[in-house]
Amino acid sequence: MQPSILDRYQGLVDLGEIEHDPAQEDIAGRLDALGHQLAVYRLALKSSALGWLFARKAVAPPRGLYVWGEVGRGKTMLMDLFFEAAPQVTKRRVHFHAFMQDVHARIHDWRQKKKHGEVKGDEPVVPVADALADEAVLLCFDEFHVTDIADAMILGRLFSRLFARGVVVVATSNVPPERLYENGLNRALFVPFLGLLAERMEVAQLASRTDFRMEKLGGVKVWHVPADDSARHALESAWRRIAGETGGAPACLRLLGRELKVPKAARGAARFGFHELCEVPLGPADYLAIAEGFHTVIVDGVPQMDEATRNEARRFITLIDTLYDNRVKLLVSAAAEPDALWTGSDGYESFAFARTASRLMEMRSADYMALPHGRPDSAASGDATGLVET
């Protein structure tokens, strides 16, 4: 038998990787209970020879769990433990923003097929929900939040169908359900969705005593010059504090139609080499996925740049702008201080690098490090991973 989530949680406490917290332990127990119910549900689905329609009507799916709490309280860690231990039903874990991007892309694709006579009907949400339900019985969402009216207007229909198909949902969020899409346009049309969540998901607040993430980063030097063995050792030590002694694992972020490889990821943090971020053809969408998916990013080996590495310089500028806008914590080993990274002549890069250097200096400050993850105009912040382990 696999160890329970509570056993895994206690194991991390015993190893000294985390501190014991009663609120976290309570959520771990709730997730364990859901895991047991999922195991029974899985057997019921597996035993039916008549397909999903009869199987899922024969046994009611368990209610999911909506866990909310302030940033850095351990929501991602607990979701990690649950997803790893969840029974072998088809399952998917994804940042909620990325999930909704996927939904809109599927709706667009359905409408294109409708134009060419490849599908019938007038309503794309139901067939899209059916396709999602075929792919996963368990959906785990990091950072469940709603700020976009296009999302808000389809969530009721989408989730009604998902729940009717027997899909079980587990989600983390920084706000309770009643604050989703708060002050949003036409919110009255969104309110029935909240009733659906209350019916199909239990709600639990993770009221931990402190921001454990900031405790792990407290006193950690974030900019190391030069990028030598000493800097690599310092970043490795910082990474172990954040990711735990296992050191994380390779992962990927799902973008529309492709995947972005992440060399190492753990507990809402990611580690890259400069070449993996800026010497390959990545663009704004890739950097946004990283910024929304991880609260902390470590980058090894940032070099000085000039006209010969203009493309790399432009990608680095875009990367830093995106991380800054999303309040991502950044730890770096570099060949020089921020204001000396660009050694080229005057031009666009010189102007843009001046802004980049200013932002990098601000990102080293205690005030910046204390900011919650996520854009200030968004309800998103904190514990996202939005990834699949590879």
Side-chain angles (χ1 to χ4, degrees):
M1 292 182 61
Q2 286 190 330
S4 69
I5 298 166
L6 276 170
D7 288 339
R8 292 167 187 243
Y9 176 81
Q10 187 59 48
L12 293 175
V13 173
D14 293 342
L15 289 171
E17 293 195 19
I18 61 173
E19 294 182 25
H20 175 263
D21 183 82
Q24 291 179 349
E25 187 176 51
D26 175 68
I27 298 298
R30 290 173 183 251
L31 290 169
D32 258 336
L34 177 56
H36 292 315
Q37 294 171 30
L38 272 171
V40 174
Y41 185 49
R42 171 178 173 264
L43 291 176
L45 297 180
K46 191 175 181 181
S47 64
S48 173
L50 299 177
W52 69 265
L53 178 63
F54 295 102
R56 297 189 191 189
K57 285 186 177 180
V59 56
R63 293 176 73 198
L65 187 64
Y66 181 108
V67 180
W68 70 276
E70 295 181 34
V71 298
R73 264 55 182 180
K75 300 186 295 294
T76 289
M77 174 199 65
L78 292 167
M79 181 75 91
D80 284 343
L81 297 179
F82 172 73
F83 191 77
E84 291 168 5
Q88 293 304 307
V89 294
T90 52
K91 57 186 178 179
R92 179 184 178 189
R93 179 180 175 183
V94 62
H95 190 281
F96 188 69
H97 176 68
F99 174 76
M100 291 308 300
Q101 285 185 318
D102 182 27
V103 167
H104 288 297
R106 292 178 189 233
I107 289 174
H108 174 76
D109 183 59
W110 186 93
R111 287 175 174 154
Q112 293 300 111
K113 290 179 178 178
K114 169 79 171 177
K115 284 183 181 179
H116 294 92
E118 298 175 25
V119 296
K120 296 181 179 180
D122 299 314
E123 170 52 64
V125 174
V126 169
V128 165
D130 283 341
L132 292 165
D134 288 339
E135 295 168 6
V137 171
L138 173 64
L139 283 175
C140 293
F141 295 125
D142 284 301
E143 291 305 322
F144 200 110
H145 69 285
V146 185
T147 58
D148 187 272
I149 187 171
D151 293 347
M153 294 303 102
I154 67 169
L155 280 174
R157 287 173 289 151
L158 179 70
F159 275 75
S160 290
R161 185 62 176 177
L162 289 173
F163 288 138
R165 285 288 308 269
V167 173
V168 178
V169 175
V170 176
T172 67
S173 180
N174 294 325
V175 297
E178 60 269 20
R179 288 190 56 196
L180 291 171
Y181 199 51
E182 192 171 43
N183 301 319
L185 187 64
N186 292 328
R187 191 173 188 267
L189 300 176
F190 175 78
V191 170
F193 172 66
L194 301 180
L196 182 64
L197 288 186
E199 177 185 344
R200 301 307 297 266
M201 300 179 72
E202 295 183 15
V203 178
Q205 181 182 7
L206 178 54
S208 294
R209 62 174 176 79
T210 188
D211 184 339
F212 293 99
R213 182 188 309 155
M214 286 307 300
E215 285 190 353
K216 288 186 178 295
L217 289 175
V220 173
K221 185 179 179 182
V222 299
W223 193 272
H224 299 268
V225 175
D228 55 11
D229 286 342
S230 176
R232 283 190 287 274
H233 291 320
L235 286 186
E236 181 63 25
S237 176
W239 175 250
R240 294 285 177 176
R241 283 183 70 176
I242 298 166
E245 287 303 313
T246 61
C252 64
L253 287 166
R254 287 178 175 168
L255 283 77
L256 297 180
R258 59 191 176 86
E259 294 180 341
L260 172 62
K261 294 187 182 300
V262 181
K264 285 186 178 181
R267 299 181 185 174
R271 186 172 185 180
F272 298 88
F274 175 83
H275 64 283
E276 292 155 335
L277 289 172
C278 300
E279 294 178 0
V280 294
L282 300 184
D286 302 284
Y287 299 138
L288 181 60
I290 293 168
E292 291 182 336
F294 300 103
H295 58 72
T296 301
V297 170
I298 292 180
V299 182
D300 293 276
V302 175
Q304 289 181 298
M305 290 161 269
D306 57 21
E307 288 84 358
T309 52
R310 191 182 302 276
N311 289 335
E312 291 88 338
R314 291 194 174 200
R315 293 188 192 109
F316 184 72
I317 290 166
T318 303
L319 170 67
I320 299 306
D321 283 347
T322 309
L323 298 182
Y324 176 87
D325 287 343
N326 287 272
R327 297 169 167 178
V328 175
K329 312 301 181 287
L330 178 66
L331 286 74
V332 173
S333 67
E337 294 294 338
D339 59 0
L341 286 176
W342 175 252
T343 62
S345 59
D346 291 341
Y348 165 77
E349 288 79 11
S350 296
F351 169 78
F353 245 101
R355 183 187 69 237
T356 299
S358 175
R359 288 188 163 184
L360 287 170
M361 294 300 294
E362 183 181 344
M363 292 168 80
R364 295 160 63 167
S365 70
D367 287 344
Y368 178 89
M369 295 291 286
L371 293 172
H373 176 224
R375 293 183 65 90
D377 58 349
S378 168
S381 59
D383 295 312
T385 57
L387 53 83
V388 177
E389 290 192 358
T390 59

mmCIF file of all heavy atoms in Angstrom, residues 294-315:
data_model
loop_
_atom_site.group_PDB
_atom_site.id
_atom_site.type_symbol
_atom_site.label_atom_id
_atom_site.label_comp_id
_atom_site.label_asym_id
_atom_site.label_seq_id
_atom_site.Cartn_x
_atom_site.Cartn_y
_atom_site.Cartn_z
ATOM 1 N N PHE A 294 5.098 29.693 -11.455
ATOM 2 C CA PHE A 294 6.068 29.521 -10.366
ATOM 3 C C PHE A 294 6.211 30.814 -9.566
ATOM 4 O O PHE A 294 6.331 31.895 -10.143
ATOM 5 C CB PHE A 294 7.426 29.111 -10.923
ATOM 6 C CG PHE A 294 7.395 27.826 -11.690
ATOM 7 C CD1 PHE A 294 7.415 27.819 -13.072
ATOM 8 C CD2 PHE A 294 7.313 26.609 -11.025
ATOM 9 C CE1 PHE A 294 7.362 26.634 -13.781
ATOM 10 C CE2 PHE A 294 7.262 25.419 -11.719
ATOM 11 C CZ PHE A 294 7.283 25.422 -13.103
ATOM 12 N N HIS A 295 6.216 30.683 -8.248
ATOM 13 C CA HIS A 295 6.405 31.860 -7.396
ATOM 14 C C HIS A 295 7.873 32.223 -7.257
ATOM 15 O O HIS A 295 8.217 33.357 -6.904
ATOM 16 C CB HIS A 295 5.789 31.642 -6.021
ATOM 17 C CG HIS A 295 6.333 30.451 -5.278
ATOM 18 N ND1 HIS A 295 7.592 30.411 -4.742
ATOM 19 C CD2 HIS A 295 5.758 29.258 -4.978
ATOM 20 C CE1 HIS A 295 7.778 29.236 -4.125
ATOM 21 N NE2 HIS A 295 6.684 28.523 -4.268
ATOM 22 N N THR A 296 8.784 31.264 -7.504
ATOM 23 C CA THR A 296 10.219 31.490 -7.377
ATOM 24 C C THR A 296 10.924 30.855 -8.567
ATOM 25 O O THR A 296 10.615 29.722 -8.939
ATOM 26 C CB THR A 296 10.763 30.884 -6.073
ATOM 27 O OG1 THR A 296 10.077 31.471 -4.953
ATOM 28 C CG2 THR A 296 12.260 31.132 -5.925
ATOM 29 N N VAL A 297 11.869 31.577 -9.165
ATOM 30 C CA VAL A 297 12.649 31.072 -10.291
ATOM 31 C C VAL A 297 14.132 31.300 -10.000
ATOM 32 O O VAL A 297 14.533 32.395 -9.587
ATOM 33 C CB VAL A 297 12.256 31.769 -11.608
ATOM 34 C CG1 VAL A 297 13.233 31.412 -12.729
ATOM 35 C CG2 VAL A 297 10.833 31.392 -12.008
ATOM 36 N N ILE A 298 14.931 30.269 -10.213
ATOM 37 C CA ILE A 298 16.388 30.370 -10.111
ATOM 38 C C ILE A 298 16.970 30.260 -11.519
ATOM 39 O O ILE A 298 16.593 29.369 -12.281
ATOM 40 C CB ILE A 298 16.965 29.274 -9.198
ATOM 41 C CG1 ILE A 298 16.541 29.521 -7.738
ATOM 42 C CG2 ILE A 298 18.486 29.209 -9.301
ATOM 43 C CD1 ILE A 298 17.071 28.494 -6.759
ATOM 44 N N VAL A 299 17.878 31.172 -11.855
ATOM 45 C CA VAL A 299 18.525 31.165 -13.169
ATOM 46 C C VAL A 299 20.040 31.106 -12.964
ATOM 47 O O VAL A 299 20.633 31.982 -12.330
ATOM 48 C CB VAL A 299 18.158 32.410 -13.991
ATOM 49 C CG1 VAL A 299 18.826 32.333 -15.366
ATOM 50 C CG2 VAL A 299 16.643 32.532 -14.143
ATOM 51 N N ASP A 300 20.666 30.080 -13.521
ATOM 52 C CA ASP A 300 22.110 29.901 -13.412
ATOM 53 C C ASP A 300 22.811 30.471 -14.646
ATOM 54 O O ASP A 300 22.378 30.253 -15.788
ATOM 55 C CB ASP A 300 22.455 28.410 -13.315
ATOM 56 C CG ASP A 300 21.968 27.771 -12.026
ATOM 57 O OD1 ASP A 300 22.682 27.869 -11.023
ATOM 58 O OD2 ASP A 300 20.875 27.167 -12.033
ATOM 59 N N GLY A 301 23.912 31.189 -14.417
ATOM 60 C CA GLY A 301 24.828 31.527 -15.497
ATOM 61 C C GLY A 301 24.393 32.604 -16.448
ATOM 62 O O GLY A 301 24.541 32.456 -17.670
ATOM 63 N N VAL A 302 23.894 33.727 -15.945
ATOM 64 C CA VAL A 302 23.546 34.846 -16.831
ATOM 65 C C VAL A 302 24.844 35.533 -17.264
ATOM 66 O O VAL A 302 25.609 36.003 -16.420
ATOM 67 C CB VAL A 302 22.628 35.859 -16.128
ATOM 68 C CG1 VAL A 302 22.376 37.064 -17.028
ATOM 69 C CG2 VAL A 302 21.322 35.189 -15.728
ATOM 70 N N PRO A 303 25.113 35.618 -18.581
ATOM 71 C CA PRO A 303 26.365 36.225 -19.046
ATOM 72 C C PRO A 303 26.207 37.726 -19.311
ATOM 73 O O PRO A 303 25.103 38.263 -19.285
ATOM 74 C CB PRO A 303 26.605 35.493 -20.372
ATOM 75 C CG PRO A 303 25.201 35.295 -20.910
ATOM 76 C CD PRO A 303 24.320 35.059 -19.693
ATOM 77 N N GLN A 304 27.296 38.391 -19.576
ATOM 78 C CA GLN A 304 27.208 39.730 -20.137
ATOM 79 C C GLN A 304 26.833 39.607 -21.611
ATOM 80 O O GLN A 304 27.168 38.632 -22.272
ATOM 81 C CB GLN A 304 28.537 40.458 -19.972
ATOM 82 C CG GLN A 304 28.837 40.829 -18.535
ATOM 83 C CD GLN A 304 30.143 41.585 -18.383
ATOM 84 O OE1 GLN A 304 31.203 41.054 -18.696
ATOM 85 N NE2 GLN A 304 30.060 42.835 -17.908
ATOM 86 N N MET A 305 26.108 40.604 -22.118
ATOM 87 C CA MET A 305 25.585 40.533 -23.482
ATOM 88 C C MET A 305 25.924 41.791 -24.257
ATOM 89 O O MET A 305 26.091 42.869 -23.685
ATOM 90 C CB MET A 305 24.060 40.337 -23.423
ATOM 91 C CG MET A 305 23.636 38.961 -22.931
ATOM 92 S SD MET A 305 21.918 38.899 -22.335
ATOM 93 C CE MET A 305 22.149 39.260 -20.582
ATOM 94 N N ASP A 306 26.035 41.632 -25.598
ATOM 95 C CA ASP A 306 26.299 42.762 -26.482
ATOM 96 C C ASP A 306 25.625 42.504 -27.823
ATOM 97 O O ASP A 306 24.750 41.640 -27.922
ATOM 98 C CB ASP A 306 27.808 42.990 -26.641
ATOM 99 C CG ASP A 306 28.524 41.742 -27.166
ATOM 100 O OD1 ASP A 306 27.850 40.857 -27.766
ATOM 101 O OD2 ASP A 306 29.749 41.644 -26.994
ATOM 102 N N GLU A 307 26.033 43.234 -28.873
ATOM 103 C CA GLU A 307 25.373 43.098 -30.169
ATOM 104 C C GLU A 307 25.439 41.681 -30.716
ATOM 105 O O GLU A 307 24.536 41.252 -31.436
ATOM 106 C CB GLU A 307 26.004 44.064 -31.188
ATOM 107 C CG GLU A 307 25.668 45.526 -30.949
ATOM 108 C CD GLU A 307 26.584 46.178 -29.925
ATOM 109 O OE1 GLU A 307 27.461 45.468 -29.370
ATOM 110 O OE2 GLU A 307 26.427 47.391 -29.676
ATOM 111 N N ALA A 308 26.476 40.939 -30.391
ATOM 112 C CA ALA A 308 26.609 39.575 -30.898
ATOM 113 C C ALA A 308 25.585 38.627 -30.287
ATOM 114 O O ALA A 308 25.313 37.559 -30.840
ATOM 115 C CB ALA A 308 28.029 39.056 -30.641
ATOM 116 N N THR A 309 25.039 39.018 -29.151
ATOM 117 C CA THR A 309 24.017 38.192 -28.489
ATOM 118 C C THR A 309 22.735 39.007 -28.307
ATOM 119 O O THR A 309 22.089 38.957 -27.267
ATOM 120 C CB THR A 309 24.531 37.675 -27.137
ATOM 121 O OG1 THR A 309 25.018 38.780 -26.348
ATOM 122 C CG2 THR A 309 25.640 36.651 -27.319
ATOM 123 N N ARG A 310 22.393 39.749 -29.364
ATOM 124 C CA ARG A 310 21.238 40.640 -29.297
ATOM 125 C C ARG A 310 19.938 39.868 -29.036
ATOM 126 O O ARG A 310 19.093 40.296 -28.245
ATOM 127 C CB ARG A 310 21.106 41.430 -30.595
ATOM 128 C CG ARG A 310 20.105 42.570 -30.541
ATOM 129 C CD ARG A 310 20.013 43.260 -31.888
ATOM 130 N NE ARG A 310 21.291 43.784 -32.334
ATOM 131 C CZ ARG A 310 21.784 44.955 -31.971
ATOM 132 N NH1 ARG A 310 21.103 45.730 -31.140
ATOM 133 N NH2 ARG A 310 22.951 45.372 -32.434
ATOM 134 N N ASN A 311 19.763 38.723 -29.699
ATOM 135 C CA ASN A 311 18.535 37.938 -29.509
ATOM 136 C C ASN A 311 18.406 37.458 -28.075
ATOM 137 O O ASN A 311 17.328 37.523 -27.474
ATOM 138 C CB ASN A 311 18.508 36.751 -30.468
ATOM 139 C CG ASN A 311 18.282 37.164 -31.906
ATOM 140 O OD1 ASN A 311 17.702 38.207 -32.159
ATOM 141 N ND2 ASN A 311 18.753 36.349 -32.840
ATOM 142 N N GLU A 312 19.519 36.975 -27.518
ATOM 143 C CA GLU A 312 19.498 36.518 -26.127
ATOM 144 C C GLU A 312 19.178 37.673 -25.188
ATOM 145 O O GLU A 312 18.431 37.511 -24.212
ATOM 146 C CB GLU A 312 20.851 35.898 -25.760
ATOM 147 C CG GLU A 312 21.140 34.585 -26.447
ATOM 148 C CD GLU A 312 21.817 34.755 -27.806
ATOM 149 O OE1 GLU A 312 21.683 35.859 -28.398
ATOM 150 O OE2 GLU A 312 22.457 33.796 -28.267
ATOM 151 N N ALA A 313 19.742 38.848 -25.496
ATOM 152 C CA ALA A 313 19.491 40.023 -24.658
ATOM 153 C C ALA A 313 18.014 40.413 -24.683
ATOM 154 O O ALA A 313 17.428 40.724 -23.639
ATOM 155 C CB ALA A 313 20.348 41.196 -25.136
ATOM 156 N N ARG A 314 17.411 40.380 -25.850
ATOM 157 C CA ARG A 314 16.001 40.756 -25.941
ATOM 158 C C ARG A 314 15.121 39.749 -25.194
ATOM 159 O O ARG A 314 14.145 40.137 -24.548
ATOM 160 C CB ARG A 314 15.588 40.864 -27.410
ATOM 161 C CG ARG A 314 16.242 42.043 -28.117
ATOM 162 C CD ARG A 314 15.598 42.343 -29.447
ATOM 163 N NE ARG A 314 16.155 43.560 -30.035
ATOM 164 C CZ ARG A 314 15.563 44.263 -30.971
ATOM 165 N NH1 ARG A 314 14.383 43.901 -31.435
ATOM 166 N NH2 ARG A 314 16.128 45.355 -31.459
ATOM 167 N N ARG A 315 15.460 38.480 -25.300
ATOM 168 C CA ARG A 315 14.679 37.485 -24.550
ATOM 169 C C ARG A 315 14.847 37.701 -23.046
ATOM 170 O O ARG A 315 13.889 37.583 -22.280
ATOM 171 C CB ARG A 315 15.120 36.073 -24.944
ATOM 172 C CG ARG A 315 14.776 35.701 -26.381
ATOM 173 C CD ARG A 315 15.048 34.236 -26.652
ATOM 174 N NE ARG A 315 14.992 33.959 -28.080
ATOM 175 C CZ ARG A 315 16.048 33.672 -28.846
ATOM 176 N NH1 ARG A 315 17.259 33.591 -28.294
ATOM 177 N NH2 ARG A 315 15.909 33.444 -30.139
#
